[in-house]
Amino acid sequence: MIAGIDLGTTNSLIGVYESGFPTLLADSEGKRLIPSVVFYPENGAPLVGREGLRMQALHPERTVASVKRLIGRRFGEDETKDLAGPKGSPVTIPINGEDLYPVEVSAEILKKLKAIAEDRLGTAVDRAVITVPAYFNDAQRAATRKAGELAGFAVERILSEPTAAALAYGLDRLQENARVAVYDLGGGTFDLSILRLDNGVFQVLSTHGDTRLGGDDLDEAIAGLLLREAEITTLSTEITPEMKVRLKEAARAAKELLSNEESTFVRLPFMKGSKSHEISLTRAQVEKVCEPIIAKTRAHCLRALEDAGLKAEELDQIILVGGSTRMPLVQRLAAEIFGKQPNLSQHPDEAVALGAVLQGAILEGNLQNVALLDVTPLSLGIETFGGLMNVIIPRNTTIPAKAGEMFTNAVAGQSGMKIIVLQGERELATDNWTLGSFEIPFPPSPKGAARVGVQFSIDADGILQVLARDTSTRSEKIVEIQSAVEVSDEAVEAMLAGSLEHAFEDMDARVFTEARLKAEEMLPAVEAALAQLGSELLESEVLEIQGKSSEVQAALESKETVRLKQALAALDNATQTLATKLLEKAMG
Ligand code: AMP
């Protein structure tokens, strides 16, 4: 039996396909949404889920929540700025004097889900499909798989959340070529994916989002509102961690209530000394502070549409996924962005888990096979001579995918090539993320003589394999980009924003680098040719070539792209006769 698991930032769910139906399983308290919260007592086993959540208010310092934000990440990234640790190392969370890895914490959540399922079903449940946000990168997918394995599951598939949701909404029964937008606003992440139904197969046309946008941010904003309304003006340093947790809990409860009610009362006991506060809150007040946060989803929706080459009117359905889409404000905004009422037929917080269950059933052969195709969230490539990014698999390519290119040596006598695997949208290698690197040796060869084939393949789980082969000796090396330890990653969103923001400088940097490489090749070649054949030219010609060469040198130093390109063209022009003579000589 293959379980389907939605491993969420705030809540997680597990289900199985039983007697022809996908069923989500409830814990001993009859609840299906299991809080993704882990409490570590001083002694004994961690408490997970609702029990963990209860302990969070008492011991926030020994509780881990929203660990999905940290999985597959490193110290020094935006996501991990609240944690102290050596920049660039895999992130750890200090609890009870021990440093925990996010995969270990996620594994505790998965163990809890496994126990719930085994308890309900009375049998072992040791295979699973686990979902991740559409634009989780390699490191995050691999870490999620690892967490599943640590929890004792054979992980049969890492599935993207929008594709799971589409299955749960039964969209495989739509007409041929139907286009669907999946708007997913959960506790900690937002993403918008556009899918197309093609011959009964879902294809993800594009995906955009923000790993730092979700209900948690709304809770934070509402907590601020509560403080203002209660006129609690203490400095934030005087608000203890326990008070903060209480405040956010109260904010969240009020927010969820206000999805159905117009107003509510929030009681905040012991917020300041022993004084307790009672604050009345209306939906309108909450919407006012939440609106700017939710409005941030609009740009992602528009970019995903643009990437898919579609207009909003061309969409057949909008489906809403994630607990935060229960807010009327979110539903209104989604309807407004896409000019169409969203489909609200499924529970938004259960759709992804149901889809994972259905995918498990498909893998087991219990359901007719609907293949789910995903796309690469960011471009993948290698660093080439001069420090440029050479894209091998572009962003938004449907996976599984395979692509390759032939490379050569840029320097004579070189006896190997360093393959640096990059992910990102920037022109310069240093602005992209290095996923890993390795050396492929070859016999020392003249410039441009070596032939190294590089092939990238991404499997259905989004895990990347890089193969490099020296065609002369047929020796090859294969590197699997798997573990979070090898992989450096930043927020995908920051990368996309950066590529837009720096588009012009980046293009300029690429053009300049290409011109610089040409100049560095040309200057010594011209000098050598002059030494050899200068005597056969008129003195004025020699002077002109020398002048143009110095101008190229000066342009190189000035780092001005246009000037360098012009100088190179002029040098090219001035050396026509010289080049002809050189050629004649070579031809004998
Ligand atoms: P998910 O990550 O999909 O489990 O979504 C969790 C988020 O949904 C949390 O931020 C919850 O506060 C939020 N949420 C759940 N139910 C509601 C509701 N009725 N109204 C507004 N937000 C909700």
Side-chain angles (χ1 to χ4, degrees):
M1 180 177 298
I2 302 181
I5 295 177
D6 171 5
L7 184 60
T9 309
T10 328
N11 294 299
S12 297
L13 296 104
I14 185 165
V16 291
Y17 195 74
E18 243 193 335
S19 349
F21 292 100
T23 316
L24 298 181
L25 303 167
D27 66 4
S28 53
E29 297 178 28
K31 302 247 168 67
R32 296 188 288 203
L33 282 179
I34 310 301
S36 306
V37 177
V38 184
F39 167 73
Y40 290 87
E42 273 181 70
N43 298 299
L47 297 179
V48 186
R50 233 161 297 284
E51 294 166 58
L53 190 62
R54 268 180 221 122
M55 298 306 290
Q56 186 182 29
L58 297 171
H59 296 290
E61 78 291 352
R62 278 200 258 140
T63 312
V64 186
S66 301
V67 70
K68 191 172 176 177
R69 284 181 186 262
L70 299 179
I71 200 158
R73 296 197 167 276
R74 290 164 176 255
F75 284 120
E77 296 178 351
D78 248 19
E79 296 285 334
T80 59
K81 60 178 183 294
D82 296 340
L83 294 162
K87 196 164 180 260
S89 322
V91 76
T92 53
I93 308 157
I95 296 280
N96 290 348
E98 227 190 299
D99 285 330
L100 295 174
Y101 286 98
V103 277
E104 297 176 294
V105 181
S106 290
E108 292 299 336
I109 300 169
L110 290 163
K111 273 188 218 164
K112 171 78 178 186
L113 297 171
K114 189 170 189 281
I116 290 172
E118 292 181 342
D119 192 46
R120 289 286 115 178
L121 301 167
T123 70
V125 179
D126 44 22
R127 299 165 74 196
V129 168
I130 307 177
T131 60
V132 294
Y135 55 96
F136 250 30
N137 65 18
D138 252 15
Q140 292 163 305
R141 283 169 198 257
T144 303
R145 171 180 283 278
K146 174 111 181 284
E149 289 163 1
L150 283 177
F153 284 114
V155 180
E156 303 288 339
R157 181 65 62 91
I158 295 290
L159 180 66
S160 281
E161 289 161 9
T163 44
L167 259 190
Y169 273 84
L171 300 187
D172 46 319
R173 293 190 293 272
L174 284 177
Q175 78 282 10
E176 179 64 10
N177 222 12
R179 280 104 167 207
V180 180
V182 184
Y183 181 105
D184 182 349
L185 188 63
T189 58
F190 167 70
D191 62 68
L192 187 285
S193 306
I194 299 195
L195 318 182
R196 188 180 64 206
L197 191 61
D198 183 7
N199 277 320
V201 171
F202 286 116
Q203 299 223 29
V204 182
L205 297 181
S206 64
T207 179
H208 260 280
D210 188 339
T211 48
R212 290 162 294 176
L213 185 61
D216 293 348
D217 304 300
L218 303 179
D219 300 346
E220 197 99 37
I222 298 167
L225 173 67
L226 287 174
L227 280 182
R228 287 195 298 280
E229 289 294 308
E231 292 176 345
I232 297 173
T233 48
T234 50
L235 293 171
S236 60
T237 48
E238 291 178 63
I239 298 179
T240 62
E242 285 88 345
M243 279 158 80
K244 261 196 193 151
V245 171
R246 281 231 172 91
L247 198 61
K248 275 194 74 175
E249 260 174 18
R252 172 140 119 204
K255 172 190 74 177
E256 293 180 6
L257 225 118
L258 289 172
S259 288
N260 296 312
E261 314 282 333
E262 286 296 332
S263 66
T264 183
F265 277 102
V266 180
R267 256 172 286 274
L268 289 179
F270 321 118
M271 277 308 291
K272 195 178 173 191
S274 61
K275 192 162 170 271
S276 76
H277 291 266
E278 180 149 322
I279 305 147
S280 106
L281 212 57
T282 64
R283 184 190 287 177
Q285 276 176 297
V286 163
E287 289 192 343
K288 195 163 167 223
V289 297
C290 292
E291 208 276 336
I293 298 167
I294 295 167
K296 290 186 190 165
T297 64
R298 180 195 305 270
H300 300 294
C301 296
L302 299 181
R303 272 204 72 179
L305 273 172
E306 195 183 310
D307 278 4
L310 290 178
K311 294 196 182 66
E313 318 71 278
E314 294 174 281
L315 294 171
D316 296 279
Q317 290 242 3
I318 320 298
I319 63 175
L320 299 185
V321 179
S324 300
T325 65
R326 287 186 188 267
M327 287 178 89
L329 172 66
V330 175
Q331 297 169 5
R332 283 204 309 274
L333 188 85
E336 188 239 307
I337 294 171
F338 295 105
K340 188 177 272 97
Q341 280 310 313
N343 177 341
L344 302 173
S345 67
Q346 297 288 319
H347 288 309
D349 27 27
E350 294 185 348
V352 169
L354 275 182
V357 171
L358 292 171
Q359 175 68 73
I362 290 167
L363 290 173
E364 275 183 303
N366 287 337
L367 263 179
Q368 157 208 355
N369 201 350
V370 182
L372 293 176
L373 299 179
D374 237 326
V375 296
T376 51
L378 291 171
S379 302
L380 293 161
I382 70 170
E383 174 169 343
T384 55
F385 196 62
L388 295 176
M389 164 78 162
N390 186 303
V391 172
I392 295 188
I393 298 184
R395 173 179 148 67
N396 276 336
T397 300
T398 302
I399 59 172
K402 201 180 248 189
E405 228 176 287
M406 199 61 89
F407 294 89
T408 187
N409 55 327
V411 178
Q414 202 176 324
S415 62
M417 193 183 285
K418 187 163 189 196
I419 307 287
I420 302 174
V421 181
L422 301 172
Q423 185 173 39
E425 306 309 310
R426 305 288 299 273
E427 297 284 348
L428 296 186
T430 50
D431 292 327
N432 290 310
W433 310 328
T434 303
L435 297 186
S437 68
F438 59 99
E439 281 272 342
I440 176 95
F442 45 76
S445 26
K447 177 170 158 28
R451 288 277 176 276
V452 174
V454 175
Q455 187 181 63
F456 278 37
S457 46
I458 311 178
D459 67 13
D461 291 336
I463 303 220
L464 172 67
Q465 214 179 46
V466 179
L467 174 151
R469 180 187 291 137
D470 167 36
T471 52
S472 67
T473 59
R474 305 205 64 72
S475 74
E476 64 179 36
K477 271 199 186 165
I478 299 180
V479 169
E480 185 146 301
I481 310 280
Q482 266 278 7
S483 88
V485 183
E486 281 173 284
V487 180
S488 153
D489 63 284
E490 263 285 355
V492 169
E493 188 40 40
M495 171 60 72
L496 292 176
S499 77
L500 270 186
E501 194 180 320
H502 300 290
F504 289 107
E505 304 152 44
D506 273 14
M507 194 37 78
D508 189 61
R510 170 176 285 272
V511 173
F512 183 82
T513 303
E514 283 165 357
R516 174 173 63 78
L517 293 175
K518 182 166 178 202
E520 285 168 359
E521 194 173 321
M522 215 167 153
L523 287 174
V526 168
E527 200 178 324
L530 273 184
Q532 194 187 353
L533 297 169
S535 55
E536 296 177 28
L537 297 179
L538 298 175
E539 198 187 329
S540 62
E541 280 177 320
V542 173
L543 281 177
E544 167 144 25
I545 292 172
Q546 283 168 339
K548 300 296 182 208
S549 291
S550 329
E551 170 53 15
V552 168
Q553 191 60 48
L556 255 183
E557 281 153 23
S558 78
K559 301 218 162 30
E560 292 166 44
T561 309
V562 175
R563 181 173 168 195
L564 181 57
K565 289 200 73 169
Q566 280 167 353
L568 276 171
L571 181 59
D572 238 343
N573 219 5
T575 51
Q576 295 275 329
T577 323
L578 183 60
T580 315
K581 285 203 186 302
L582 205 61
L583 195 67
E584 279 166 2
K585 181 142 192 160
M587 305 291 280

